[in-house]
Amino acid sequence: MSPNYIKFSSGVAGKLLFVSIGEQKLRDSGAKRRGVLEPVSKRESRFENTLEEASFLLLFLEGQKKEKNKDDSHYLTVNYSLLTIHHSPLTSNYFLLSSGMLSNLRKSILTFVNGPKEYPVLAGIAAGLYPLLNTYDANFNLINSWEQFAFHFGTFVLLPVLLFPLVLWSLKKIGLFPKLHKYALSVMNFCVFAGLIVIITEGSKKEFFLMVVLVAGLLGALLHKHLKKVIVLQFILAITVLFTLVPFLTRYINYDTAWMEQPDAIEEVTFQKQPNVYFIQPDGYVNFGNLSEAPYNYNNSDLESFLSEKNFKTYDHFRSNYPNTVTSNSSLLTMKHHYFSNPRKTGKTPSKYRSVITGDNAVVSIFNNNGYNTHLLLETPYLVLNRPKMAFDHCNIGYDEIPLLSRGFDLKKDLAADLEKILDDENSGKRFVFVEKIAPAHVQFRQAASLGMEKERELYLERLEEANEWLKEVVGLITAQDPEALIVIAADHGGYVGYEYGFQSRTRSNDKVLLNSVFSAVLAIRWPNGQAPEYDSKFRSSVNLFRILFSYLSEDSKYLEQLQNDGSYLEIYEGAPFGVYKVLDQQGEVVFEEIQ
């Protein structure tokens, strides 16, 4: 059998061009297991003499034998390259293009390429379509609002479609430099395509952008006779992106939020104590117990003394359940585990964590239900980059302030000033204020950006000292103007010091010191009247933090019966099969258990 063709009994040859769409499941209601469909009659199961009666299921099962059903009907199994093909007339999930269709497609492309006519609209679409699709394929979770889509589509596709014909018309109308007109369309296509690629990969690096666009313009002039071939190539590139983008969008649309459901009636809790609550989150701030030890080896007695004087109680073995801001805070505010929401090794996992953090969560709902005004104070727009629906009553960053091409850190707010405005508002009523400061953060996550283990440690400790000064400032503001408040200082994860770069943590490790560097998180609480509840020893990890606080505020310990597992979890890429693993258990001891 030829590796490129499958022969039918009638002698008809069909070339197989494309196969399955991502990981789409078999839709036949009678499917008993992957690859076996509902039984068919013997007549239907035979090869017929027409191509129309044949269809193919491509399964990722090498060398599978014939599948035989109870009624003796069966599917013919054929080994084809690295895949196994099952013949069956019952599927519509796959494309089979005959050699005739391919021939017609080839003729159409050749007619387009060799024809004399210019296609400025098509050239405009081709220049922007691949950059547009690639942007969404790589960054969908950050740019999935309709406002952002309108901007990207307008900039990447619509603008070139309108601009290219207009420029050509203007040149011909004016009659300026007529000998150069033949280069115009090619130069514009090359410049727009290359410029957009730079924008989506490197951001706003003006000098680099201008250099690339200049080189692209020169190439466009040199290759103007081959513009149509370039257009075909640009469309092919765009089509290749769809093979990953379409399955991703399918998973996003079908995103399962069942993990957010509470195991009890805690969302109906009624507070008996109703102090103002301030939740202060210094990003990546390790707890004091680990900060004094290797690999940090930092004397933080100055801040510890300050907090002690302000009647804070510290919890030195507290840690996060997840390794970054988005995954940690979504678990914190739902009081539930998400286990990374069925991640993919590519790192492109559909999630709605930002929507969860900005208000689609139990914590904000509970405060709202108890008559609190809820405030979200962010130093940068990183958590609201995709403009999620806001359930907080107030956020200090308006969506109109966020550049549409923002990467999340090009706007910086004065958190102390924004907090002071809330404190000065005598009419704000009871308040819950969530404050997120991007400091001290963590070591560089990517190897290319790392300055080495020791230098990254030094930079982390410099940022930690800055964070200490900021913490003193905001704690001083709150205690001076709201002395009866409940103040919680809790980090979202650790600083990753001890790694050369953060992604090293995604390799299997039994090193407890390094794992603690990922998950260790400061927790210090100023309880009203200095009276901590007797069950505050249950503070072990962030997933249960608010459940314990709500038990305190409601004076009802029944909510402690549904505390979640205090394990800490990582996506592992190296040293074990890719997957989600518990790496620290309930007591903070090293384990390595895959989560199915």
Side-chain angles (χ1 to χ4, degrees):
M1 178 179 291
S2 166
N4 294 323
Y5 291 87
I6 299 170
K7 293 184 178 179
F8 300 91
S9 56
S10 61
V12 177
K15 180 180 284 189
L16 194 61
L17 179 62
F18 281 160
V19 279
S20 96
I21 303 175
E23 300 172 16
Q24 185 173 350
K25 295 180 179 179
L26 302 179
R27 295 185 178 180
D28 191 285
S29 60
K32 301 300 181 184
R33 60 185 179 87
R34 190 174 182 85
V36 183
L37 295 177
E38 188 172 285
V40 295
S41 69
K42 294 180 181 179
R43 183 193 64 79
E44 290 175 319
S45 66
R46 300 190 193 102
F47 259 131
E48 300 293 339
N49 289 331
T50 60
L51 181 61
E52 289 76 9
E53 291 185 44
S55 61
F56 291 87
L57 271 179
L58 273 72
L59 306 177
F60 298 97
L61 301 172
E62 180 73 32
Q64 183 174 336
K65 296 180 180 180
K66 289 182 180 179
E67 295 288 352
K68 195 169 184 179
N69 295 313
K70 293 180 179 180
D71 63 349
D72 291 329
S73 65
H74 63 271
Y75 299 96
L76 181 63
T77 302
V78 183
N79 282 335
Y80 182 82
S81 184
L82 297 178
L83 301 173
T84 299
I85 302 173
H86 280 215
H87 165 256
S88 166
L90 297 180
T91 179
S92 60
N93 294 332
Y94 304 90
F95 297 100
L96 185 67
L97 299 185
S98 70
S99 57
M101 294 174 67
L102 289 176
S103 177
N104 291 336
L105 177 62
R106 182 174 178 274
K107 288 178 182 178
S108 298
I109 293 174
L110 289 175
T111 300
F112 165 75
V113 169
N114 296 324
K117 185 178 178 181
E118 285 187 328
Y119 294 89
V121 171
L122 203 60
I125 295 173
L129 187 59
Y130 170 73
L132 175 69
L133 294 178
N134 187 68
T135 298
Y136 274 86
D137 186 48
N139 304 288
F140 182 83
N141 290 329
L142 299 175
I143 56 173
N144 55 28
S145 70
W146 285 111
E147 181 182 356
Q148 289 166 299
F149 176 76
F151 170 79
H152 283 88
F153 181 78
T155 304
F156 286 48
V157 177
L158 192 58
L159 186 60
V161 164
L162 297 174
L163 184 63
F164 286 14
L166 180 62
V167 170
L168 292 180
W169 178 84
S170 299
L171 289 173
K172 292 177 182 178
K173 191 74 173 177
I174 297 172
L176 190 64
F177 304 117
K179 292 184 178 180
L180 300 181
H181 291 182
K182 62 183 179 181
Y183 303 108
L185 186 59
S186 181
V187 169
M188 287 190 293
N189 175 274
F190 273 67
C191 288
V192 170
F193 182 80
L196 291 175
I197 293 295
V198 172
I199 290 172
I200 67 176
T201 56
E202 300 296 329
S204 56
K205 296 181 179 179
K206 294 181 181 179
E207 294 180 358
F208 182 67
F209 173 83
L210 292 174
M211 182 184 69
V212 170
V213 169
L214 179 60
V215 172
L218 293 174
L219 284 174
L222 290 172
L223 301 175
H224 72 280
K225 293 182 179 179
H226 303 284
L227 174 60
K228 291 180 180 177
K229 295 177 184 176
V230 172
I231 290 174
V232 172
L233 178 61
Q234 289 169 339
F235 276 115
I236 290 174
L237 287 173
I239 291 171
T240 61
V241 177
L242 293 177
F243 288 112
T244 55
L245 181 57
V246 170
F248 179 94
L249 292 174
T250 301
R251 295 197 301 274
Y252 181 83
I253 292 170
N254 296 316
Y255 182 78
D256 188 0
T257 59
W259 66 271
M260 297 169 58
E261 296 174 2
Q262 298 300 320
D264 57 11
I266 194 168
E267 291 189 73
E268 300 171 8
V269 62
T270 299
F271 295 170
Q272 302 303 315
K273 297 182 177 77
Q274 297 189 337
N276 291 329
V277 180
Y278 299 87
F279 190 93
I280 303 169
Q281 185 177 86
D283 184 281
Y285 202 119
V286 177
N287 72 51
F288 297 153
N290 291 114
L291 196 56
S292 62
E293 304 171 346
Y296 293 87
N297 295 318
Y298 182 77
N299 183 353
N300 203 31
S301 58
D302 182 52
L303 181 66
E304 291 181 49
S305 297
F306 171 82
L307 294 177
S308 178
E309 292 171 4
K310 295 293 184 180
N311 295 320
F312 277 82
K313 182 175 182 179
T314 58
Y315 299 83
D316 286 350
H317 300 287
F318 187 77
R319 56 190 160 81
S320 67
N321 305 97
Y322 297 93
N324 61 54
T325 301
V326 175
T327 55
S328 181
N329 278 336
S330 55
S331 176
L332 166 79
L333 293 170
T334 56
M335 304 179 287
K336 292 291 297 296
H337 282 292
H338 51 69
Y339 304 113
F340 297 98
S341 300
N342 191 22
R344 296 296 190 273
K345 190 172 184 179
T346 59
K348 295 183 291 188
T349 302
S351 68
K352 298 185 179 180
Y353 295 145
R354 283 173 170 78
S355 297
V356 170
I357 292 168
T358 57
D360 186 14
N361 64 68
V363 168
V364 173
S365 175
I366 287 169
F367 276 110
N368 285 333
N369 292 342
N370 279 273
Y372 279 69
N373 289 317
T374 51
H375 303 265
L376 178 62
L377 302 184
L378 303 173
E379 186 175 34
T380 71
Y382 174 69
L383 289 178
V384 292
L385 198 57
N386 64 329
R387 295 155 171 79
K389 183 179 180 181
M390 184 65 64
F392 283 87
D393 296 315
H394 163 253
C395 179
N396 66 326
I397 296 180
Y399 289 166
D400 58 344
E401 298 180 76
I402 306 173
L404 286 164
L405 286 176
S406 172
R407 295 196 168 196
F409 300 99
D410 41 13
L411 173 67
K412 194 170 184 179
K413 289 286 189 174
D414 185 339
L415 290 174
D418 290 340
L419 176 60
E420 195 164 13
K421 291 177 184 177
I422 296 173
L423 291 168
D424 290 340
D425 185 0
E426 297 179 356
N427 299 317
S428 64
K430 295 177 296 183
R431 61 179 78 108
F432 167 61
V433 185
F434 189 106
V435 186
E436 206 256 354
K437 169 80 171 175
I438 305 295
H442 50 74
V443 306
Q444 289 288 345
F445 197 72
R446 297 295 175 184
Q447 183 176 10
S450 174
L451 298 177
M453 186 186 303
E454 187 55 35
K455 185 62 177 178
E456 291 293 338
R457 172 184 172 275
E458 292 175 10
L459 293 173
Y460 174 86
L461 294 179
E462 288 178 11
R463 296 190 298 268
L464 184 135
E465 291 175 357
E466 294 173 5
N468 284 352
E469 295 305 311
W470 176 80
L471 284 169
K472 291 178 184 178
E473 181 182 9
V474 296
V475 168
L477 285 172
I478 298 170
T479 54
Q481 298 192 48
D482 197 350
E484 300 304 317
L486 170 61
I487 307 174
V488 180
I489 299 173
D492 49 354
H493 53 75
Y496 287 75
V497 169
Y499 292 100
E500 289 188 19
Y501 55 96
F503 195 71
Q504 283 182 319
S505 63
R506 298 336 188 235
T507 298
R508 178 177 180 174
S509 173
N510 294 321
D511 190 327
K512 185 176 181 179
V513 171
L514 288 178
L515 291 173
N516 278 332
S517 187
V518 174
F519 295 105
S520 172
V522 68
L523 177 62
I525 301 178
R526 187 177 190 270
W527 298 98
N529 303 317
Q531 297 179 355
E534 60 183 12
Y535 44 77
D536 69 337
S537 60
K538 295 183 181 294
F539 283 118
R540 295 187 185 128
S541 72
S542 53
V543 70
N544 290 314
L545 195 158
F546 275 103
R547 182 171 279 273
I548 297 170
L549 289 181
F550 291 154
S551 294
Y552 164 78
L553 293 172
S554 66
E555 299 180 352
D556 194 340
S557 61
K558 70 180 180 182
Y559 298 112
L560 301 176
E561 297 173 5
Q562 295 295 335
L563 291 176
Q564 302 297 292
N565 186 287
D566 284 306
S568 296
Y569 301 87
L570 279 174
E571 296 168 289
I572 296 297
Y573 290 78
E574 301 291 340
F578 172 77
V580 176
Y581 292 83
K582 181 193 288 188
V583 293
L584 293 174
D585 66 11
Q586 187 89 354
Q587 287 72 39
E589 297 300 321
V590 175
V591 294
F592 196 74
E593 300 173 2
E594 186 172 11
I595 305 301
Q596 298 295 336

